[in-house]
Amino acid sequence: MAIELYNHQGHVCLMFAHLSDEGGEAVQANQFLIIDGDQGAVIDPGGNMAFNELLLTIGRYFPPNKLTEILASHADPDIIASLDRWMTSTQATLYISKLWERFAPHFCKPGKTAGRIVGIPDPGMRIKLGRSEIVALPAHFMHAEGNFQFWDPVSKILFSGDLGVSLGTSGEAATPITSLAPHLHRMEAFHRRYMVSQKVLRLWANMVRQLPIQMIVPQHGAPLSGDAVKEFIGWIGDLTCGIDNVTQANYTIPA
C-alpha cells in the first residue's frame, strides 16, 4: 500500500515503505512517486527486489508508461539497481548527478540508457513536472560525492535521500516522526558514520532554513514533520561526523 504524503488539486506525493522487505536481509528503503496532472516522477526507485511490486502499485495511481522522470539522489544499489528494468518498462529520463551519469549505465544492458540520462550539475537544477517543477538541491557528501535532494515546492516536502534516516522496520517507517528526541537513538550512529563532516551538514542546514519545509522524507525510515523538521535541522547542523571523528587508529594494518 502507498502512504499518501500529499494530495491536492491533482498534485500527489506517495511513499512506499515495505517493498524492500526480504526476510530482513536488506536494509529498509523507501520509494516515492510524485504526480502532477498527467505527468509523474519516481524518486529513488530502488533495487530489483522492489521493482515488481512498485511497478504494480504505481499502476493503481498512475500509468507507469506515462512516467516522465526517474530522479536519483545518488548511485547506490538501493537507489537505482533496478534501472535496467525501468528503462525497459517506461520511457522516463533518469536525472542523476553528472558525476554518476556515466556510471549509471553499468546497471543496464548496452544501449538502454542512450539519450535518456540527464546529468545534474553540481549547483542543482529545476526539473519540470506537469504544471510544476521539482528542485534538485545540492547535498554533496551526504553521503555521496555527487548527491542531490529533491524539493517539491507544491507540497513543501524535501525528499532528503540518506539525510534524516532512522533505522527500523517498514512498519516504523510508516509513522511520521513529530518529535526528534525519542528517535535519535535510531538516527545518531548512522549519521555519524555516513555523513562526511560537520562543515557539510552546517552548510546544508544554512541552505534549507531558507525553504518553507513541511516535511523531510528520507530514503530509509520515517518522514519528519511538525516540530521534528526544525529540530532535525538544528541537530544535524551541530553534529560531528565522518572525518571529524577519524584518527590514525582508523588507518592501521590489520593484525
Side-chain angles (χ1 to χ4, degrees):
M1 293 293 292
I3 299 165
E4 188 176 281
L5 303 175
Y6 182 88
N7 189 342
H8 185 64
Q9 294 184 346
H11 191 89
V12 182
C13 300
L14 302 174
M15 169 177 159
F16 310 89
H18 69 287
L19 304 183
S20 296
D21 291 348
E22 190 73 22
E25 292 185 6
V27 65
Q28 184 275 331
N30 303 321
Q31 298 83 35
F32 308 98
L33 172 66
I34 302 179
I35 302 166
D36 192 277
D38 61 355
Q39 294 189 6
V42 174
I43 299 178
D44 292 346
N48 285 305
M49 66 175 60
F51 174 80
N52 287 336
E53 194 169 353
L54 179 58
L55 191 70
L56 289 171
T57 307
I58 283 176
R60 300 172 188 169
Y61 303 91
F62 188 82
N65 62 351
K66 290 189 176 181
L67 289 170
T68 49
E69 285 88 22
I70 298 170
L71 310 179
S73 56
H74 55 295
D76 277 1
D78 59 319
I79 301 290
I80 56 163
S82 61
L83 183 62
D84 184 76
R85 302 174 77 177
W86 287 102
M87 292 287 102
T88 299
S89 302
T90 76
Q91 296 301 309
T93 297
L94 173 68
Y95 288 79
I96 194 168
S97 167
K98 66 177 184 178
L99 295 184
W100 299 121
E101 65 177 313
R102 295 183 64 197
F103 291 83
H106 284 275
F107 286 112
C108 299
K109 297 179 182 68
K112 280 283 187 73
T113 58
R116 296 178 63 187
I117 298 181
V118 173
I120 305 174
D122 281 348
M125 65 185 293
R126 295 172 182 269
I127 302 165
K128 182 173 173 54
L129 181 67
R131 303 154 300 176
S132 183
E133 62 184 8
I134 304 298
V135 183
L137 292 175
H140 309 305
F141 301 104
M142 295 185 295
H143 60 95
E145 299 91 326
N147 197 60
F148 287 93
Q149 298 171 346
F150 299 104
W151 158 248
D152 177 12
V154 177
S155 65
K156 297 180 173 58
I157 294 174
L158 177 62
F159 296 92
S160 59
D162 280 322
L163 193 71
V165 163
S166 55
L167 297 177
T169 66
S170 58
E172 290 168 328
T175 304
I177 293 170
T178 56
S179 178
L180 191 68
H183 298 273
L184 285 177
H185 70 283
R186 297 195 289 125
M187 304 176 77
E188 185 169 354
F190 177 92
H191 287 86
R192 288 195 187 278
R193 179 59 190 260
Y194 280 83
M195 302 299 114
V196 169
S197 72
Q198 184 188 43
K199 176 182 178 180
V200 170
L201 296 178
R202 185 172 63 251
L203 295 174
W204 174 85
N206 292 341
M207 175 183 67
V208 299
R209 284 192 179 103
Q210 303 173 59
L211 296 172
I213 299 173
Q214 292 293 322
M215 191 177 291
I216 296 175
V217 186
Q219 196 236 345
H220 307 284
L224 307 175
S225 65
D227 292 341
V229 171
K230 287 187 177 180
E231 291 169 356
F232 176 77
I233 295 170
W235 174 74
I236 202 71
D238 291 330
L239 188 73
T240 58
C241 60
I243 61 173
D244 303 327
N245 300 323
V246 166
T247 69
Q248 188 64 63
N250 298 105
Y251 295 86
T252 59
I253 300 169

